[in-house]
Amino acid sequence: MRLDDCTSLFPKLPGAMPVWHGIVNEKDLRELCEQILQSGGKLVALWGSDETGRDGHYALHVGLVSAPGMLVLTLPVDHEKPHFPDLSDIFPAADRMQRAVADMLGLYPSGSGNHRKWLRHAAWPGNVHPLRKSFDIATHFPIGEDNYPFVAVTGHGVHEIAVGPVHAGTIEPGHFRFSVVGERVLKLEERLGYKHKGIEKRFEDMTLQQGAKLAGRISGDTTVGYAWAYAQAVESITCTTPPPRALWLRALFLELERMLNHLGDLGYLGNDAALAFGFAQFWILKEDLLRMNGELFGHRYLMDIIIPGGVACNLDNAGLLRIAETLRHIEHETAILKGIYDEHAGMQDRFLTTGHVASDLAAKLGLTGLAGRASGQAWDARAQFPCVPYDQLDVYMVTHRNGDVAARVTMRFEEIAESIRLIRQILKQLPAGELLSPVGEAIEGNMGIGWVEGWRGEILVALHAGKDNRINRLHPHDPSWQNWPVLEHAIMGNIVPDFPLINKSFNLSYCGVDL
Amino acid sequence: MYQIIRQILRTGIKTEAPPQPEDALRNEVQQISAQILHHVGRALAIRHVDAGSCNGCELEIHCLNNAYYNIERLGIHFVASPRHADMLLVTGPVSRHMEIALKRTYDATPDPKLVVALGDCGCDGGIFGESYASCGKIANVIPVDVIVPGCPPTPTAILQGILTAVSSCKTPQVLTSGLHNSKPSGSS
Ligand code: SF4
């Protein structure tokens, strides 16, 4: 099957984003993946579902993006021989996603050399698959043995440093195993899944309305991104179009969320390079923005204000002025701080060449989002596949090629500047009118896709509709899936004390992938 | 250097007055004597443990260190090891994959110790509840002194919870057992 034919052969899903969905066999799946790779495209997400109640088989779904938009391919998987072709030789990023599908659904990649578990630790046995429909969410197993087979590095003078799951700072739990010689890191192996709390299973049987609240809590720092992607998915399966004002406000919230996270990260990056002044300054600006959010929209992080069909809050003229004034202040201060960061020899010494990811490695491993753009991977759904209102804002995509901590710092400064520009445009052009459209009925068995460029990278929400406007299956995909494995490469050859700095420059989500 | 000093002077002092303790936040009978609290309250070392949150609660914990809340001027600081801590500040529902790590962290914290559970998830399991993968609220796994509801609770609410835990209860209650020996309910 030819990739070029897909957009004419497969139906385009209703909704804001260009997404085509087709059912394929094993051969076509691999061929199309190869063509996507050759055409410069990439893997966005891979997930499975249990369709045995409906048509007697399981299904594997793969979300791929290339120039025309997103292609979602569904492969029926036999319930007696639940295997699918390994895709990790084409897209290395597929490896952990496939292992998660094996843990959660019992569908196995044939031909893959990596059969280690991923999301499962010791809370349930290996022959139990929580996302199968026959599994009851309340089932309780005694904690067993984890016995995760870490890769051992041997050689003269090699020793291991094991860190976590409880880390030294206020960060999320995960385990990092460094193999080092002296101070230099030979290899880092990550073990995640500590925060797995059954989110995907929890979604099943929620109503489309109830799901919005949970979607906003998949990764709290990206609550707007997820809430918008979830709303898009619901609006896609129910053929709902939110009013223009709601869409413009959503973009305002998404850009505010980007600014919040970038400001916070710039502060911590200063702190991790021993410039506490940077933390103090940026976190004042972040707090100013948080307080503005709280006053204007009732929540400092904007949780629960994007809902299916529209938004749950409005903005009046006084609010417009308040935002404009806050932005003016942040723009002014950030410019001063950028000058200080750029001129500070000690900081630049820590930032430059540290945690380097070359462009070709980034392309091969599928490094995405902000970190990808810092390594020459020019993908930004706001610029390339703009939905309303981005189609009228002419988003400037920031990219760099150096791929080190310094590049990821610069990305953040420049993206803050662009978000400020976008918000000003939004405030100027914000259309009047309704905030909410009534949400239609979902047809059982249909799939809806939400796809939003969050501050970290692209968020995908795949929603499979059940009976009576309920969720049959929901898979949220965080860009951290792609980027965590690249962090293992970024640290190689660096010294252990630079790990916190490199890690912070990626700032990946743990809960977003542990689910 | 000149630029940095100029910026510091331009910024001025942002720090605001801290909130007062609130007895309504207490979860259990007070388990540390008033005398110890008196000392701890002046130099409190906190170990934060994320036991399975959505990371929203962590965002607000970070804010405690910003210049507005400036938690360190109250003698409160975050430490890298439970062995250095007087208090555990725990978020999440407790995922079952973090259950053992949380218990071990609790055991590694020297007595007498305090536990503050953060967020709706920490207080009652929140939206994630109890399931094959989640133990629900923190008190299902380790004893909890003070709970701070909210999703996420604001930095002021968190600070109030911390200050409540280190202040003496205004309505004295009888200690039923020793320090945190009570068996947590519903833990597996
Ligand atoms: S209380 Fe809210 S913010 Fe905190 S972990 Fe739970 S869902 Fe996240």
Side-chain angles (χ1 to χ4, degrees):
Chain A
M1 184 180 260
R2 285 183 49 234
L3 180 61
D4 296 344
D5 300 336
C6 287
T7 48
S8 49
L9 278 178
F10 296 146
K12 184 167 184 282
L13 297 182
M17 300 302 284
V19 183
W20 287 264
H21 178 217
I23 297 178
V24 291
N25 60 27
E26 294 195 356
K27 183 169 159 285
D28 287 342
L29 175 65
R30 274 198 62 96
E31 278 179 16
L32 287 171
C33 283
E34 271 158 6
Q35 290 175 54
I36 288 272
L37 183 71
Q38 279 151 20
S39 70
K42 59 175 185 171
L43 170 76
V44 174
L46 183 151
W47 69 101
S49 62
D50 181 350
E51 313 289 341
T52 49
R54 208 182 351 247
D55 46 20
H57 57 71
Y58 297 103
L60 181 83
H61 313 276
V62 182
L64 304 155
V65 62
S66 63
M70 187 175 295
L71 186 59
V72 177
L73 302 175
T74 293
L75 171 76
V77 179
D78 191 288
H79 81 282
E80 288 188 339
K81 283 199 282 315
H83 291 275
F84 60 87
D86 173 37
L87 300 177
S88 66
D89 57 332
I90 306 172
F91 301 114
D95 177 65
R96 288 181 183 175
M97 302 178 208
Q98 293 181 166
R99 288 157 65 193
V101 169
D103 288 343
M104 299 305 293
L105 265 161
L107 315 182
Y108 299 93
S110 41
S112 158
N114 195 350
H115 298 295
R116 294 182 299 164
K117 57 186 179 176
W118 181 244
L119 287 183
R120 184 174 73 81
H121 286 202
W124 69 94
N127 59 354
V128 169
H129 305 292
L131 283 179
R132 288 197 173 173
K133 290 292 175 194
S134 53
F135 180 87
D136 177 0
I137 188 168
T139 319
H140 187 95
F141 295 96
I143 295 281
E145 290 289 316
D146 185 18
N147 292 333
Y148 185 73
F150 284 96
V151 176
V153 178
T154 53
H156 187 68
V158 178
H159 72 280
E160 276 186 354
I161 307 175
V163 183
V166 178
H167 293 301
T170 301
I171 51 173
E172 301 184 71
H175 182 86
F176 298 125
R177 193 156 297 195
F178 299 92
S179 299
V180 300
V181 172
E183 277 204 315
R184 223 157 271 286
V185 179
L186 286 180
K187 182 181 168 65
L188 160 66
E189 185 171 2
E190 298 154 358
R191 171 90 171 112
L192 304 178
Y194 287 92
K195 302 188 94 176
H196 177 77
K197 45 193 180 285
I199 291 181
E200 286 175 290
K201 192 73 180 178
R202 183 63 70 201
F203 268 114
E204 294 184 4
D205 274 338
M206 279 186 157
T207 64
L208 295 179
Q209 297 295 340
Q210 286 166 344
K213 192 169 175 213
L214 185 54
R217 285 159 181 78
I218 290 162
S219 184
D221 55 18
T222 317
T223 180
V224 173
Y226 275 104
W228 193 353
Y230 177 82
Q232 270 186 357
V234 171
E235 287 149 13
S236 167
I237 42 168
T238 57
C239 295
T240 306
T241 309
R245 185 175 178 81
L247 292 170
W248 283 73
L249 284 172
R250 285 179 180 180
L252 166 68
F253 303 147
L254 190 71
E255 297 311 319
L256 286 171
E257 179 169 88
R258 196 179 316 278
M259 287 182 65
L260 280 178
N261 282 289
H262 287 359
L263 288 169
D265 285 348
L266 285 172
Y268 265 112
L269 283 157
N271 207 47
D272 285 349
L275 189 70
F277 160 84
F279 176 85
Q281 290 288 326
F282 277 107
W283 280 71
I284 290 172
L285 301 180
K286 181 172 180 180
E287 181 71 21
D288 291 340
L289 209 51
L290 287 167
R291 289 182 176 194
M292 181 196 86
N293 283 348
E295 281 166 35
L296 296 181
F297 308 114
H299 196 285
R300 284 160 57 90
Y301 298 89
L302 308 169
M303 275 179 173
D304 305 323
I305 63 173
I306 294 184
I307 50 176
V311 293
C313 64
N314 206 348
L315 182 63
D316 59 14
N317 272 337
L320 288 176
L321 293 175
R322 173 91 163 78
I323 297 176
E325 183 196 306
T326 309
L327 289 189
R328 230 183 348 262
H329 177 64
I330 291 179
E331 187 180 40
H332 178 253
E333 298 293 293
T334 314
I336 294 174
L337 294 171
K338 181 165 191 317
I340 292 175
Y341 271 35
D342 285 349
E343 297 296 318
H344 196 285
M347 277 184 107
Q348 291 305 318
D349 183 47
R350 293 288 305 278
F351 288 172
L352 284 164
T353 72
T354 307
H356 178 247
V357 181
S359 300
D360 50 351
L361 182 70
K364 182 152 179 265
L365 299 180
L367 187 66
T368 189
L370 174 132
R373 292 193 288 277
S375 287
Q377 304 308 301
W379 291 99
D380 186 333
R382 296 173 302 159
Q384 286 152 316
F385 311 105
C387 60
V388 183
Y390 289 111
D391 56 348
Q392 293 153 66
L393 295 174
D394 198 13
V395 177
Y396 167 67
M397 186 192 334
V398 181
T399 55
H400 283 273
R401 297 196 62 82
N402 285 351
D404 52 3
V405 173
R408 293 185 283 274
V409 169
T410 309
M411 282 290 307
R412 287 177 164 94
F413 275 114
E414 294 179 5
E415 288 201 351
I416 288 175
E418 176 63 2
S419 286
I420 291 177
R421 188 189 72 82
L422 291 172
I423 294 174
R424 286 192 176 132
Q425 287 287 104
I426 292 169
L427 297 183
K428 213 181 286 167
Q429 290 170 248
L430 187 63
E434 296 294 310
L435 296 171
L436 201 58
S437 301
V439 176
E441 295 286 312
I443 298 171
E444 193 192 350
N446 277 9
M447 183 199 283
I449 297 287
W451 176 21
V452 166
E453 189 73 32
W455 67 272
R456 208 181 252 122
E458 77 259 285
I459 315 242
L460 178 131
V461 167
L463 173 53
H464 303 250
K467 281 195 190 65
D468 310 324
N469 271 356
R470 286 183 175 271
I471 298 167
N472 176 47
R473 168 88 174 95
L474 188 134
H475 176 70
H477 178 92
D478 197 273
S480 305
W481 277 103
Q482 272 87 343
N483 291 4
W484 273 116
V486 187
L487 180 64
E488 293 182 342
H489 289 262
I491 178 71
M492 277 183 204
N494 288 259
I495 55 172
V496 179
D498 272 341
F499 180 70
L501 187 65
I502 298 170
N503 192 17
K504 187 42 97 177
S505 74
F506 282 84
N507 193 6
L508 303 177
S509 175
Y510 298 65
C511 49
V513 299
D514 290 353
L515 297 171
Chain B
M1 201 62 201
Y2 164 74
Q3 284 289 349
I4 293 179
I5 293 169
R6 184 167 171 268
Q7 180 68 7
I8 291 171
L9 293 175
R10 274 187 58 242
T11 307
I13 294 171
K14 297 277 186 190
T15 305
E16 299 165 344
Q20 292 302 309
E22 170 58 59
D23 276 347
L25 298 173
R26 292 184 198 280
N27 188 46
E28 287 193 7
V29 188
Q30 191 164 341
Q31 308 197 37
I32 290 190
S33 79
Q35 218 174 355
I36 296 175
L37 281 179
H38 179 71
H39 292 291
V40 164
R42 289 183 180 183
L44 180 73
I46 302 180
R47 173 64 256 190
H48 155 255
V49 184
D50 175 347
S53 77
C54 81
N55 83 26
C57 283
E58 276 63 34
L59 298 175
E60 293 293 45
I61 297 177
H62 286 297
C63 287
L64 288 175
N65 285 314
N66 78 29
Y68 286 94
Y69 306 102
N70 193 6
I71 191 168
E72 292 215 3
R73 68 51 219 234
L74 300 170
I76 304 172
H77 61 287
F78 289 89
V79 293
S81 165
R83 298 193 194 281
H84 305 158
D86 309 303
M87 174 189 286
L88 296 182
L89 187 63
V90 191
T91 63
V94 184
S95 72
R96 294 205 63 224
H97 289 169
M98 278 302 287
E99 189 180 345
I100 293 175
L102 177 61
K103 282 182 183 158
R104 284 192 187 152
T105 307
Y106 180 79
D107 291 340
T109 311
D111 284 327
K113 54 193 157 195
L114 293 157
V115 177
V116 174
L118 277 199
D120 290 350
C121 296
C123 295
D124 64 8
I127 193 163
F128 305 106
E130 290 180 33
S131 70
Y132 74 97
S134 168
C135 305
K137 63 180 175 181
I138 312 290
N140 284 347
V141 180
I142 56 171
V144 169
D145 295 87
V146 163
I147 56 171
V148 185
C151 185
T154 60
T156 309
I158 301 173
L159 195 49
Q160 187 172 46
I162 293 169
L163 295 175
T164 302
V166 292
S167 68
S168 301
C169 188
K170 287 197 200 81
T171 46
Q173 287 156 311
V174 188
L175 267 180
T176 47
S177 59
L179 293 176
H180 284 191
N181 291 335
S182 55
K183 201 162 169 42
S185 57
S187 106
S188 54

